[in-house]
Amino acid sequence: MSDLAKTPATSTEEPGAPAAGGMTATAPAAEGTAAPVPAVDPRLLIREEGIKGYWSEFGRKVRGGELGSLPVFVGLIVIAVVFQFQNSNFLSASSVANIAVYSSGIGIMAVGIVFVLLLGEIDLSVGSVAGVGAAVWAVLNVNNGWNDWTAILVAVLSGTALGALHGFFFAKIGVPAFVVTLAGFLGWSGLQDWMMGGEGSINTPSGSVVENLTNYFFADKAAGYGLALVAVVAYAASLLVDSKRRKAAGLPARPTAEVVLRTGVVAVLCFVVAYVLNEPSGARGLPLALVLFLAVLVIADFVARRTAFGRQVFAVGGNPEAARRAGINVDRIRITVFAVSGTLGAFGGLFIASLSGGATKNVGAGNTLMLVIAAAVIGGTSLFGGRGKVWSALLGMIVIQSIQQGLNMIGMANAVQYMITGAVLLAAVVIDSVSRRTQKTAGRA
């Protein structure tokens, strides 16, 4: 939803003036009266007030339940402080590298789940689809001698086909997404088991593309700092282009000071991470897994925020019937979203196979599904549809992996890790529910 849709009407608006957009207009003046005062978008006044105006706006959003990613960032700070106090190596180079690598596969799968959650639906089959993707690659590449890239492509496309099948039964036949993906969870687990055969595991060949997904690091320091520089420049350019477009359309735009401040914060974060990963003691450089994860996030974010398809996904998630009446092909959007989820599920399965040393019957099993959904929800994507960001997959996965990394470093049992992760997931859903209720009370839902 655009900022304009969120701007409440104010008493300063005159008849004949637009309700939003920052454009000024005047009502026809009665004969013999003073000239009318132009209607001004209240957000322009906020920005003119500088820091005081932004602080007031921030307080208004918090009181209105618009928390955004604030709880996630607060949680990450708390996690870092607590575990660093317990173990001084928690923020070391090797620890940060481990968090980045182990977050990649599950995080990529979580990106697909974000799109499904934006529809207000759920995909319970993503773990099994990941297992099938790994099994298809292993059987074709290792057992039948197919080329690495061809086998990977077929494996990823197999996930696309399975996801589209789920979407077809949901959109065209009318089977609830919960039921059809639960059936997929069971059925594709059996297919994975059957494909793996009696031994149940196929080792990853040394030096293969799949092995390098999580085991290759860019040792040259220029790679880490170069990626950080590209990220900062791209972020600054996106802000400037957005501001230019909004000004050209007569809409409120971020002032230059805000663009500089936002870019500075992102620059600090990016270069600190690059410095830590390039630290001689412990880390091996920039992980390829992190680069691929970030590439998926950037592409998915562009699709979600800058394309007609992305806007239609939000519209269908917000109100399917209204979207249908607006001319959106709801069935096509639903099928495509589940196909995206299946594609990224199979791709993420290759990362899991790389971490485990090969394709096994256990790829995608266990707590994989729970972690994927938890990452999307903890990062800020609503379970109720129509609200969320692709980057929530990254934030949520960092939270989960940081908790697991910290608990492992202090020798905590797996059972305790599951309980803590479950509690964090519950807290995220509670925050989302309370936030939605607060917004309804404030009249901003």
Side-chain angles (χ1 to χ4, degrees):
M1 181 180 291
S2 67
D3 291 338
L4 299 181
K6 295 180 180 178
T7 306
T10 63
S11 59
T12 61
E13 295 177 359
E14 298 290 339
M23 301 178 65
T24 60
T26 59
E31 188 174 347
T33 61
V37 179
V40 181
D41 191 303
R43 287 167 296 176
L44 293 176
L45 299 178
I46 290 171
R47 286 168 176 158
E48 287 176 358
E49 293 176 359
I51 296 177
K52 179 181 177 181
Y54 280 105
W55 182 255
S56 300
E57 177 70 359
F58 172 75
R60 183 195 63 77
K61 287 184 176 181
V62 171
R63 291 191 298 272
E66 299 177 61
L67 300 179
S69 300
L70 178 62
V72 183
F73 286 112
V74 173
L76 283 173
I77 293 173
V78 172
I79 290 170
V81 171
V82 170
F83 285 122
Q84 182 68 16
F85 179 77
Q86 295 290 327
N87 189 317
S88 59
N89 291 323
F90 177 73
L91 294 178
S92 65
S94 58
S95 178
V96 172
N98 283 337
I99 292 174
V101 171
Y102 280 88
S103 296
S104 58
I106 301 295
I108 288 173
M109 295 164 68
V111 173
I113 289 296
V114 167
F115 280 93
V116 176
L117 292 179
L118 289 176
L119 288 181
E121 303 297 338
I122 195 69
D123 185 354
L124 301 178
S125 68
V126 64
S128 298
V129 171
V132 170
V136 168
W137 162 78
V139 169
L140 294 179
N141 178 247
V142 181
N143 290 359
N144 293 285
W146 283 38
N147 173 269
D148 259 358
W149 292 105
T150 304
I152 290 173
L153 178 62
V154 174
V156 173
L157 290 179
S158 69
T160 306
L162 298 182
L165 184 63
H166 298 152
F168 172 80
F169 278 101
F170 169 53
K172 296 294 187 180
I173 309 301
V175 181
F178 178 90
V179 176
V180 70
T181 56
L182 178 60
F185 167 77
L186 298 173
W188 308 138
S189 294
L191 176 62
Q192 175 190 4
D193 198 346
W194 176 76
M195 292 181 66
M196 296 303 299
E199 295 184 2
S201 65
I202 300 176
N203 293 332
T204 304
S206 177
S208 67
V209 175
V210 170
E211 182 189 47
N212 288 334
L213 287 177
T214 59
N215 290 281
Y216 184 83
F217 291 75
F218 297 93
D220 191 342
K221 293 184 177 182
Y225 291 121
L227 180 61
L229 179 61
V230 170
V232 173
V233 172
Y235 180 73
S238 68
L239 292 180
L240 292 173
V241 170
D242 182 66
S243 295
K244 183 179 179 180
R245 291 175 59 190
R246 295 180 70 87
K247 288 179 180 178
L251 302 175
R254 291 188 178 96
T256 304
E258 181 181 349
V259 172
V260 172
L261 177 61
R262 286 173 175 264
T263 304
V265 172
V266 171
V268 170
L269 291 175
C270 290
F271 280 98
V272 165
V273 172
Y275 172 78
V276 172
L277 291 176
N278 284 326
E279 190 177 317
S281 59
R284 293 182 286 171
L286 176 67
L288 173 63
L290 178 60
V291 175
L292 295 175
F293 184 18
L294 292 176
V296 170
L297 284 166
V298 170
I299 295 172
D301 180 66
F302 176 82
V303 171
R305 297 194 303 114
R306 300 296 183 183
T307 66
F309 170 76
R311 291 190 290 271
Q312 290 170 358
V313 170
F314 279 95
V316 173
N319 191 322
E321 185 56 33
R324 193 187 312 275
R325 295 185 179 185
I328 296 175
N329 189 332
V330 174
D331 291 346
R332 179 179 63 84
I333 294 298
R334 287 172 168 170
I335 293 173
T336 304
V337 165
F338 276 93
V340 169
S341 178
T343 301
L344 295 179
F347 189 37
L350 298 178
F351 283 76
I352 299 176
S354 177
L355 283 171
S356 59
T360 69
K361 294 181 179 180
N362 294 325
V363 171
N367 63 345
T368 301
L369 174 62
M370 182 270 291
L371 291 178
V372 171
I373 297 177
V377 176
I378 290 173
T381 301
S382 175
L383 282 170
F384 303 99
R387 190 177 65 182
K389 295 181 180 178
V390 169
W391 290 92
S392 62
L394 172 64
L395 295 176
M397 201 59 240
I398 292 177
V399 169
I400 292 175
Q401 194 56 49
S402 296
I403 292 174
Q404 293 185 342
Q405 177 80 2
L407 293 176
N408 284 332
M409 294 180 72
I410 62 177
M412 197 69 69
N414 287 335
V416 178
Q417 296 184 30
Y418 290 157
M419 288 188 285
I420 292 178
T421 304
V424 173
L425 173 59
L426 177 61
V429 177
V430 169
I431 290 174
D432 180 38
S433 299
V434 173
S435 174
R436 291 177 67 89
R437 186 179 304 172
T438 304
Q439 289 187 46
K440 287 182 179 179
T441 303
R444 300 184 62 84

